Structures are given as C-alpha cells and as structure tokens.
Amino acid sequence: MRLEKYLVQCGVASRKKIKTAIAQGRVTVNGDIEVNDATDVEWGEDIITFDGIIPEKKQLKYYIMYKIAGYITAMEDENKKTVAELLPEYIDKNSVFPVGRLDRDTEGVLLFTSDGDLSHAMAHPDRNMEKTYYVELDKEISQEDIIALEQGVILDTNYAALPGKVEYLNSKCIHLTITEGKYHQVKKMLKAVKNKVIYLKRVKFGNLTLDGMIPGEVKEIKREDIII
C-alpha cells in the first residue's frame, strides 16, 4: 500500500499533514528517509517511523459533536478557544481531527475521526456532500431572494456559488443546503441577496444530524453510521 495510506491508517495525523511530513523528510522506511508518499510499503514487512516513532495501526474512531459558538475548528491555537477543548477526556486528541470546519460563531454538527480516507472522501468536491444550515436572518427573505439562492449567487469574492436548496421556515428563517464549503459561504450567499445572517447552525452533514443531542455533547458513532 502507499506510504501515505499506511500512515493514515496509523492515525498519526490528517492526510494533508502526513503528506507535508513525508515531504519534509520526517518519515523513514527501513531506516532511510522517504520523501515519496506513493512509495509501496507492507504491514509487518517494512519498518516505518514518523518523527522518530514507529506508529501502530489503530482502531479507527468516529465522533459527532454538537459544536457550540465561541470555538474555532482547530485542534490547537495559542490565542483562541478550539473545538479540541470540547472533546471529553476519554478521547485521544492526538489521534482525531475534525472533518471540514465550522466558523467560530457557528454551531452544529461537526465530525471528528482518525480515519484519513473518510475525511478526504467527505471533503472532496466531487462528492457533493450536502450540508444543511438553519439560518436566522436580519431581514425578511423574499421569494425572489430564494430563487436567486437556488439558482446560484455571485459572492463578494466574485466566486459563482453553486445553486443551493432552500426550505422556507418563516419570513426570517430558512434551511439552506449547499455542497460547497467556501470561507463564510452561507453568510456571503445571504449577503449577495442583501441580507445578513444573525444566527447559523449546521443541522445536517451528509446523513449525520443533531437528533437527540444537546449543545456541547459529543458521542461516538460507527463507520457504518456515515454514508458517503
């Protein structure tokens, strides 16, 4: 198997960080530094080290969090509170990482895993992974605004957002489903129709929902619970 996949299955870091570490010469294969992440290796035959440590294949873990506002989606930061601080003590924070991100002031579904392959698959643009947000607005939303969101709007970065799906809840509340994950995308899409998001919560990520969860709660799930 590829060296990169071997280390992903060891759960040492995310796929992106593993690629960087290999390129930086922090990985050895049978005593020699290896900078090619596609090098073929085998379990039980080759001796691999990552930052001088021989990693072992770990049981892959999956957790769903009901993220609360005030925390950035990162495992560490010197100046800001991170979602890692919301993880219970029984979870090994060195082996899991969040899939995708939620803004600091955004609440809702956030998936953590040690499964790099799953993370890569769910984040890949070709997957068109749906994400549904509960959105509270500053002003009433019109039918024309809804049509615009469903046809695709131009963001303030001149990026043409893909069409979204809108479920009208009331004059100032909608469910907005998108398949992209651009920075502040939901806020920018509503800004494009001259409105402002005052509260945002992701209520669905793929098939994962907040059903039965309370704010701040974290629960372990199984791989088969996640449909991609």
Side-chain angles (χ1 to χ4, degrees):
M1 86 175 53
R2 291 165 56 96
L3 175 59
E4 170 198 351
K5 184 172 183 178
Y6 178 101
L7 291 170
V8 165
Q9 293 188 2
C10 289
V12 297
S14 67
R15 181 182 295 270
K16 182 178 180 180
K17 289 183 178 179
I18 286 171
K19 282 180 173 288
T20 299
I22 294 172
Q24 292 173 340
R26 294 159 50 195
V27 174
T28 68
V29 177
N30 299 322
D32 297 322
I33 293 175
E34 180 57 69
V35 295
N36 181 2
D37 58 40
T39 294
D40 190 52
V41 296
E42 294 294 334
W43 292 106
E45 294 185 13
D46 297 301
I47 299 175
I48 318 296
T49 70
F50 183 91
D51 286 341
I53 299 173
I54 300 177
E56 297 180 358
K57 188 174 184 179
K58 295 184 178 180
Q59 181 181 1
L60 299 178
K61 293 289 186 177
Y62 309 88
Y63 303 95
I64 185 172
M65 171 188 286
Y66 187 150
K67 179 187 175 296
I68 55 179
Y71 295 81
I72 65 169
T73 305
M75 294 306 290
E76 56 183 26
D77 190 280
E78 293 182 357
N79 304 309
K80 301 173 183 176
K81 295 188 295 184
T82 71
V83 290
E85 298 173 43
L86 298 173
L87 292 173
E89 291 184 359
Y90 67 82
I91 296 178
D92 180 5
K93 297 179 178 61
N94 293 316
S95 66
V96 299
F97 45 86
V99 179
R101 66 172 181 267
L102 289 178
D103 297 338
R104 178 161 55 177
D105 60 347
T106 300
E107 301 185 347
V109 180
L110 187 60
L111 175 67
F112 288 80
T113 185
S114 55
D115 188 340
D117 284 341
L118 175 75
S119 175
H120 179 72
M122 294 187 75
H124 199 284
D126 290 346
R127 284 286 180 180
N128 293 318
M129 184 66 62
E130 289 192 340
K131 298 169 278 285
T132 300
Y133 295 84
Y134 168 74
V135 190
E136 293 184 2
L137 301 167
D138 180 52
K139 299 188 299 183
E140 293 187 356
I141 189 166
S142 67
Q143 185 62 33
E144 289 74 17
D145 295 338
I146 291 174
I147 292 173
L149 292 170
E150 292 185 329
Q151 291 179 339
V153 293
I154 305 298
L155 307 186
D156 57 8
T157 55
N158 290 323
Y159 175 79
L162 292 176
K165 299 176 184 177
V166 179
E167 178 187 0
Y168 179 88
L169 301 176
N170 63 52
S171 62
K172 289 188 176 182
C173 294
I174 60 171
H175 277 151
L176 176 61
T177 299
I178 60 176
T179 57
E180 300 178 287
K182 301 297 182 183
Y183 182 65
H184 285 170
Q185 178 156 348
V186 173
K187 296 174 183 176
K188 290 182 177 181
M189 288 177 72
L190 272 300
K191 181 180 178 181
V193 293
K194 296 180 172 54
N195 212 323
K196 181 180 180 181
V197 174
I198 59 174
Y199 176 76
L200 187 62
K201 177 168 68 176
R202 184 162 69 185
V203 295
K204 192 173 183 182
F205 179 33
N207 69 307
L208 300 175
T209 71
L210 297 172
D211 290 352
M213 297 184 69
I214 61 174
E217 183 180 356
V218 177
K219 67 178 181 180
E220 185 170 2
I221 58 176
K222 298 179 180 179
R223 172 62 182 83
E224 50 264 36
D225 294 329
I226 306 169
I227 300 173
I228 61 172

